[in-house]
PDB file of all heavy atoms in Angstrom:
ATOM      1  N   TYR O   1     -27.413  17.498 -15.024  1.00 98.00           N
ATOM      2  CA  TYR O   1     -27.115  16.063 -14.674  1.00 98.00           C
ATOM      3  C   TYR O   1     -26.714  15.398 -16.008  1.00 98.00           C
ATOM      4  O   TYR O   1     -25.642  14.565 -15.975  1.00 98.00           O
ATOM      5  CB  TYR O   1     -28.455  15.423 -14.222  1.00 98.00           C
ATOM      6  CG  TYR O   1     -28.700  15.779 -12.693  1.00 98.00           C
ATOM      7  CD1 TYR O   1     -29.869  16.288 -12.314  1.00 98.00           C
ATOM      8  CD2 TYR O   1     -27.695  15.559 -11.729  1.00 98.00           C
ATOM      9  CE1 TYR O   1     -30.205  16.728 -11.020  1.00 98.00           C
ATOM     10  CE2 TYR O   1     -28.018  15.855 -10.431  1.00 98.00           C
ATOM     11  CZ  TYR O   1     -29.261  16.503 -10.075  1.00 98.00           C
ATOM     12  OH  TYR O   1     -29.537  16.841  -8.786  1.00 98.00           O
ATOM     13  N   GLY O   2     -27.346  15.733 -17.151  1.00 98.00           N
ATOM     14  CA  GLY O   2     -26.931  15.077 -18.339  1.00 98.00           C
ATOM     15  C   GLY O   2     -25.551  15.385 -18.790  1.00 98.00           C
ATOM     16  O   GLY O   2     -24.795  14.503 -19.268  1.00 98.00           O
ATOM     17  N   ASP O   3     -25.103  16.673 -18.616  1.00 98.00           N
ATOM     18  CA  ASP O   3     -23.815  17.100 -18.936  1.00 98.00           C
ATOM     19  C   ASP O   3     -22.825  16.399 -18.062  1.00 98.00           C
ATOM     20  O   ASP O   3     -21.705  15.944 -18.496  1.00 98.00           O
ATOM     21  CB  ASP O   3     -23.633  18.565 -18.760  1.00 98.00           C
ATOM     22  CG  ASP O   3     -24.380  19.413 -19.797  1.00 98.00           C
ATOM     23  OD1 ASP O   3     -24.841  18.745 -20.842  1.00 98.00           O
ATOM     24  OD2 ASP O   3     -24.560  20.581 -19.620  1.00 98.00           O
ATOM     25  N   ALA O   4     -23.114  16.159 -16.750  1.00 98.00           N
ATOM     26  CA  ALA O   4     -22.164  15.505 -15.812  1.00 98.00           C
ATOM     27  C   ALA O   4     -22.055  14.040 -16.211  1.00 98.00           C
ATOM     28  O   ALA O   4     -20.978  13.484 -16.161  1.00 98.00           O
ATOM     29  CB  ALA O   4     -22.722  15.599 -14.366  1.00 98.00           C
ATOM     30  N   ILE O   5     -23.135  13.422 -16.592  1.00 98.00           N
ATOM     31  CA  ILE O   5     -23.146  12.028 -17.042  1.00 98.00           C
ATOM     32  C   ILE O   5     -22.291  11.836 -18.340  1.00 98.00           C
ATOM     33  O   ILE O   5     -21.464  10.947 -18.361  1.00 98.00           O
ATOM     34  CB  ILE O   5     -24.580  11.430 -17.218  1.00 98.00           C
ATOM     35  CG1 ILE O   5     -25.278  11.349 -15.871  1.00 98.00           C
ATOM     36  CG2 ILE O   5     -24.554  10.083 -17.999  1.00 98.00           C
ATOM     37  CD1 ILE O   5     -26.791  11.099 -15.997  1.00 98.00           C
ATOM     38  N   GLU O   6     -22.474  12.809 -19.164  1.00 98.00           N
ATOM     39  CA  GLU O   6     -21.760  12.744 -20.454  1.00 98.00           C
ATOM     40  C   GLU O   6     -20.213  12.801 -20.283  1.00 98.00           C
ATOM     41  O   GLU O   6     -19.506  12.083 -20.998  1.00 98.00           O
ATOM     42  CB  GLU O   6     -22.185  13.752 -21.410  1.00 98.00           C
ATOM     43  CG  GLU O   6     -21.601  13.695 -22.875  1.00 98.00           C
ATOM     44  CD  GLU O   6     -22.176  14.722 -23.780  1.00 98.00           C
ATOM     45  OE1 GLU O   6     -22.853  15.667 -23.296  1.00 98.00           O
ATOM     46  OE2 GLU O   6     -22.003  14.599 -25.025  1.00 98.00           O
ATOM     47  N   ARG O   7     -19.808  13.714 -19.360  1.00 98.00           N
ATOM     48  CA  ARG O   7     -18.334  13.804 -19.145  1.00 98.00           C
ATOM     49  C   ARG O   7     -17.896  12.855 -18.028  1.00 98.00           C
ATOM     50  O   ARG O   7     -16.618  12.943 -17.700  1.00 98.00           O
ATOM     51  CB  ARG O   7     -18.075  15.262 -18.757  1.00 98.00           C
ATOM     52  CG  ARG O   7     -18.629  15.674 -17.276  1.00 98.00           C
ATOM     53  CD  ARG O   7     -18.044  17.120 -17.065  1.00 98.00           C
ATOM     54  NE  ARG O   7     -18.275  17.463 -15.657  1.00 98.00           N
ATOM     55  CZ  ARG O   7     -19.377  18.129 -15.218  1.00 98.00           C
ATOM     56  NH1 ARG O   7     -20.364  18.475 -16.153  1.00 98.00           N
ATOM     57  NH2 ARG O   7     -19.637  18.372 -13.956  1.00 98.00           N
ATOM     58  N   LYS O   8     -18.693  11.926 -17.593  1.00 98.00           N
ATOM     59  CA  LYS O   8     -18.380  10.880 -16.642  1.00 98.00           C
ATOM     60  C   LYS O   8     -17.783  11.594 -15.381  1.00 98.00           C
ATOM     61  O   LYS O   8     -16.810  11.150 -14.850  1.00 98.00           O
ATOM     62  CB  LYS O   8     -17.273   9.908 -17.250  1.00 98.00           C
ATOM     63  CG  LYS O   8     -17.899   9.150 -18.451  1.00 98.00           C
ATOM     64  CD  LYS O   8     -16.954   8.197 -18.962  1.00 98.00           C
ATOM     65  CE  LYS O   8     -17.561   7.371 -20.222  1.00 98.00           C
ATOM     66  NZ  LYS O   8     -16.610   6.414 -20.733  1.00 98.00           N
ATOM     67  N   ALA O   9     -18.568  12.524 -14.874  1.00 98.00           N
ATOM     68  CA  ALA O   9     -18.094  13.221 -13.665  1.00 98.00           C
ATOM     69  C   ALA O   9     -18.145  12.323 -12.522  1.00 98.00           C
ATOM     70  O   ALA O   9     -18.898  11.329 -12.409  1.00 98.00           O
ATOM     71  CB  ALA O   9     -19.073  14.413 -13.468  1.00 98.00           C
ATOM     72  N   PRO O  10     -17.207  12.448 -11.556  1.00 98.00           N
ATOM     73  CA  PRO O  10     -17.252  11.584 -10.287  1.00 98.00           C
ATOM     74  C   PRO O  10     -18.635  11.575  -9.648  1.00 98.00           C
ATOM     75  O   PRO O  10     -19.271  12.670  -9.547  1.00 98.00           O
ATOM     76  CB  PRO O  10     -16.219  12.329  -9.411  1.00 98.00           C
ATOM     77  CG  PRO O  10     -15.374  13.018 -10.389  1.00 98.00           C
ATOM     78  CD  PRO O  10     -16.210  13.495 -11.439  1.00 98.00           C
ATOM     79  N   GLY O  11     -19.042  10.411  -9.205  1.00 98.00           N
ATOM     80  CA  GLY O  11     -20.296  10.206  -8.627  1.00 98.00           C
ATOM     81  C   GLY O  11     -21.501   9.856  -9.623  1.00 98.00           C
ATOM     82  O   GLY O  11     -22.643   9.565  -9.134  1.00 98.00           O
ATOM     83  N   THR O  12     -21.162   9.933 -10.928  1.00 98.00           N
ATOM     84  CA  THR O  12     -22.308   9.651 -11.857  1.00 98.00           C
ATOM     85  C   THR O  12     -22.397   8.279 -12.424  1.00 98.00           C
ATOM     86  O   THR O  12     -23.158   7.958 -13.274  1.00 98.00           O
ATOM     87  CB  THR O  12     -22.241  10.675 -13.060  1.00 98.00           C
ATOM     88  OG1 THR O  12     -21.045  10.549 -13.736  1.00 98.00           O
ATOM     89  CG2 THR O  12     -22.356  12.151 -12.488  1.00 98.00           C
ATOM     90  N   ALA O  13     -21.429   7.434 -12.064  1.00 98.00           N
ATOM     91  CA  ALA O  13     -21.281   6.090 -12.624  1.00 98.00           C
ATOM     92  C   ALA O  13     -22.586   5.308 -12.499  1.00 98.00           C
ATOM     93  O   ALA O  13     -23.045   4.594 -13.339  1.00 98.00           O
ATOM     94  CB  ALA O  13     -20.220   5.358 -12.022  1.00 98.00           C
ATOM     95  N   ASN O  14     -23.256   5.501 -11.243  1.00 98.00           N
ATOM     96  CA  ASN O  14     -24.484   4.679 -10.989  1.00 98.00           C
ATOM     97  C   ASN O  14     -25.595   5.723 -10.607  1.00 98.00           C
ATOM     98  O   ASN O  14     -26.383   5.410  -9.725  1.00 98.00           O
ATOM     99  CB  ASN O  14     -24.264   3.720  -9.852  1.00 98.00           C
ATOM    100  CG  ASN O  14     -23.605   2.525 -10.362  1.00 98.00           C
ATOM    101  OD1 ASN O  14     -23.940   1.909 -11.335  1.00 98.00           O
ATOM    102  ND2 ASN O  14     -22.524   2.026  -9.663  1.00 98.00           N
ATOM    103  N   LEU O  15     -25.633   6.778 -11.305  1.00 98.00           N
ATOM    104  CA  LEU O  15     -26.583   7.876 -11.066  1.00 98.00           C
ATOM    105  C   LEU O  15     -27.808   7.605 -12.014  1.00 98.00           C
ATOM    106  O   LEU O  15     -27.708   7.358 -13.199  1.00 98.00           O
ATOM    107  CB  LEU O  15     -26.045   9.217 -11.363  1.00 98.00           C
ATOM    108  CG  LEU O  15     -26.998  10.346 -11.310  1.00 98.00           C
ATOM    109  CD1 LEU O  15     -27.387  10.700  -9.809  1.00 98.00           C
ATOM    110  CD2 LEU O  15     -26.370  11.677 -11.852  1.00 98.00           C
ATOM    111  N   VAL O  16     -29.038   7.645 -11.399  1.00 98.00           N
ATOM    112  CA  VAL O  16     -30.264   7.525 -12.005  1.00 98.00           C
ATOM    113  C   VAL O  16     -31.242   8.539 -11.509  1.00 98.00           C
ATOM    114  O   VAL O  16     -31.014   9.141 -10.395  1.00 98.00           O
ATOM    115  CB  VAL O  16     -31.002   6.204 -11.991  1.00 98.00           C
ATOM    116  CG1 VAL O  16     -30.072   5.080 -12.703  1.00 98.00           C
ATOM    117  CG2 VAL O  16     -31.308   5.762 -10.601  1.00 98.00           C
ATOM    118  N   LEU O  17     -32.281   8.900 -12.306  1.00 98.00           N
ATOM    119  CA  LEU O  17     -33.323   9.777 -11.868  1.00 98.00           C
ATOM    120  C   LEU O  17     -34.616   9.087 -11.849  1.00 98.00           C
ATOM    121  O   LEU O  17     -34.998   8.462 -12.783  1.00 98.00           O
ATOM    122  CB  LEU O  17     -33.404  11.059 -12.728  1.00 98.00           C
ATOM    123  CG  LEU O  17     -32.151  11.927 -12.791  1.00 98.00           C
ATOM    124  CD1 LEU O  17     -31.293  11.577 -13.918  1.00 98.00           C
ATOM    125  CD2 LEU O  17     -32.470  13.436 -12.790  1.00 98.00           C
ATOM    126  N   ASP O  18     -35.433   9.193 -10.750  1.00 98.00           N
ATOM    127  CA  ASP O  18     -36.738   8.656 -10.839  1.00 98.00           C
ATOM    128  C   ASP O  18     -37.654   9.768 -11.258  1.00 98.00           C
ATOM    129  O   ASP O  18     -37.438  10.971 -11.014  1.00 98.00           O
ATOM    130  CB  ASP O  18     -37.167   7.993  -9.464  1.00 98.00           C
ATOM    131  CG  ASP O  18     -37.648   8.926  -8.413  1.00 98.00           C
ATOM    132  OD1 ASP O  18     -38.418   9.797  -8.578  1.00 98.00           O
ATOM    133  OD2 ASP O  18     -37.226   8.663  -7.228  1.00 98.00           O
ATOM    134  N   ILE O  19     -38.697   9.451 -11.992  1.00 98.00           N
ATOM    135  CA  ILE O  19     -39.608  10.512 -12.561  1.00 98.00           C
ATOM    136  C   ILE O  19     -40.909  10.464 -11.888  1.00 98.00           C
ATOM    137  O   ILE O  19     -41.968  10.782 -12.456  1.00 98.00           O
ATOM    138  CB  ILE O  19     -39.737  10.294 -14.064  1.00 98.00           C
ATOM    139  CG1 ILE O  19     -40.191   8.942 -14.500  1.00 98.00           C
ATOM    140  CG2 ILE O  19     -38.410  10.785 -14.786  1.00 98.00           C
ATOM    141  CD1 ILE O  19     -40.482   8.889 -16.039  1.00 98.00           C
ATOM    142  N   SER O  20     -40.905  10.228 -10.550  1.00 98.00           N
ATOM    143  CA  SER O  20     -42.190  10.305  -9.816  1.00 98.00           C
ATOM    144  C   SER O  20     -42.783  11.743  -9.814  1.00 98.00           C
ATOM    145  O   SER O  20     -42.010  12.704  -9.576  1.00 98.00           O
ATOM    146  CB  SER O  20     -41.917   9.771  -8.374  1.00 98.00           C
ATOM    147  OG  SER O  20     -40.916  10.632  -7.726  1.00 98.00           O
ATOM    148  N   ALA O  21     -44.042  11.875 -10.077  1.00 95.00           N
ATOM    149  CA  ALA O  21     -44.758  13.135 -10.044  1.00 95.00           C
ATOM    150  C   ALA O  21     -44.223  14.179 -10.923  1.00 95.00           C
ATOM    151  O   ALA O  21     -44.421  15.406 -10.618  1.00 95.00           O
ATOM    152  CB  ALA O  21     -44.858  13.585  -8.559  1.00 95.00           C
ATOM    153  N   VAL O  22     -43.472  13.803 -11.964  1.00 97.00           N
ATOM    154  CA  VAL O  22     -42.985  14.807 -12.917  1.00 97.00           C
ATOM    155  C   VAL O  22     -44.098  15.066 -13.967  1.00 97.00           C
ATOM    156  O   VAL O  22     -44.516  16.281 -14.114  1.00 97.00           O
ATOM    157  CB  VAL O  22     -41.706  14.291 -13.534  1.00 97.00           C
ATOM    158  CG1 VAL O  22     -41.239  15.138 -14.617  1.00 97.00           C
ATOM    159  CG2 VAL O  22     -40.591  14.168 -12.486  1.00 97.00           C
ATOM    160  N   ALA O  23     -44.477  14.076 -14.755  1.00 96.00           N
ATOM    161  CA  ALA O  23     -45.382  14.376 -15.794  1.00 96.00           C
ATOM    162  C   ALA O  23     -46.811  14.596 -15.382  1.00 96.00           C
ATOM    163  O   ALA O  23     -47.615  15.234 -16.089  1.00 96.00           O
ATOM    164  CB  ALA O  23     -45.391  13.185 -16.772  1.00 96.00           C
ATOM    165  N   GLN O  24     -47.206  14.197 -14.178  1.00 93.00           N
ATOM    166  CA  GLN O  24     -48.560  14.292 -13.719  1.00 93.00           C
ATOM    167  C   GLN O  24     -48.929  15.430 -12.792  1.00 93.00           C
ATOM    168  O   GLN O  24     -49.973  15.522 -12.346  1.00 93.00           O
ATOM    169  CB  GLN O  24     -49.014  12.869 -13.017  1.00 93.00           C
ATOM    170  CG  GLN O  24     -48.890  11.749 -13.976  1.00 93.00           C
ATOM    171  CD  GLN O  24     -49.437  10.481 -13.332  1.00 93.00           C
ATOM    172  OE1 GLN O  24     -50.529  10.514 -12.851  1.00 93.00           O
ATOM    173  NE2 GLN O  24     -48.690   9.385 -13.442  1.00 93.00           N
ATOM    174  N   LEU O  25     -47.855  16.151 -12.434  1.00 89.00           N
ATOM    175  CA  LEU O  25     -48.099  17.291 -11.531  1.00 89.00           C
ATOM    176  C   LEU O  25     -47.959  18.610 -12.271  1.00 89.00           C
ATOM    177  O   LEU O  25     -46.830  18.881 -12.842  1.00 89.00           O
ATOM    178  CB  LEU O  25     -47.093  17.276 -10.285  1.00 89.00           C
ATOM    179  CG  LEU O  25     -47.365  18.262  -9.181  1.00 89.00           C
ATOM    180  CD1 LEU O  25     -48.699  17.968  -8.490  1.00 89.00           C
ATOM    181  CD2 LEU O  25     -46.198  18.153  -8.125  1.00 89.00           C
ATOM    182  N   ASP O  26     -49.035  19.393 -12.358  1.00 86.00           N
ATOM    183  CA  ASP O  26     -48.979  20.736 -13.119  1.00 86.00           C
ATOM    184  C   ASP O  26     -48.776  21.744 -12.110  1.00 86.00           C
ATOM    185  O   ASP O  26     -49.595  22.178 -11.363  1.00 86.00           O
ATOM    186  CB  ASP O  26     -50.296  20.810 -13.871  1.00 86.00           C
ATOM    187  CG  ASP O  26     -50.415  22.025 -14.747  1.00 86.00           C
ATOM    188  OD1 ASP O  26     -49.431  22.876 -14.606  1.00 86.00           O
ATOM    189  OD2 ASP O  26     -51.326  22.179 -15.555  1.00 86.00           O
ATOM    190  N   LEU O  27     -47.555  22.311 -12.055  1.00 85.00           N
ATOM    191  CA  LEU O  27     -47.139  23.325 -11.212  1.00 85.00           C
ATOM    192  C   LEU O  27     -47.956  24.653 -11.299  1.00 85.00           C
ATOM    193  O   LEU O  27     -48.169  25.379 -10.372  1.00 85.00           O
ATOM    194  CB  LEU O  27     -45.670  23.602 -11.299  1.00 85.00           C
ATOM    195  CG  LEU O  27     -44.653  22.467 -10.960  1.00 85.00           C
ATOM    196  CD1 LEU O  27     -43.260  22.948 -11.192  1.00 85.00           C
ATOM    197  CD2 LEU O  27     -44.909  21.987  -9.553  1.00 85.00           C
TER     198      LEU O  27
END
């Protein structure tokens, strides 16, 4: 996703990521 954002790939102009249950869920 970061690479796509950096190259301004189509669809990334208003792309965000929510970080729900990322740091607090131990797989």
Side-chain angles (χ1 to χ4, degrees):
Y1 285 121
D3 290 347
I5 290 168
E6 184 176 15
R7 69 174 187 269
K8 298 182 179 179
T12 63
N14 282 312
L15 177 69
V16 297
L17 298 95
D18 80 45
I19 52 174
S20 58
V22 172
Q24 296 186 52
L25 189 63
D26 186 347
L27 296 180

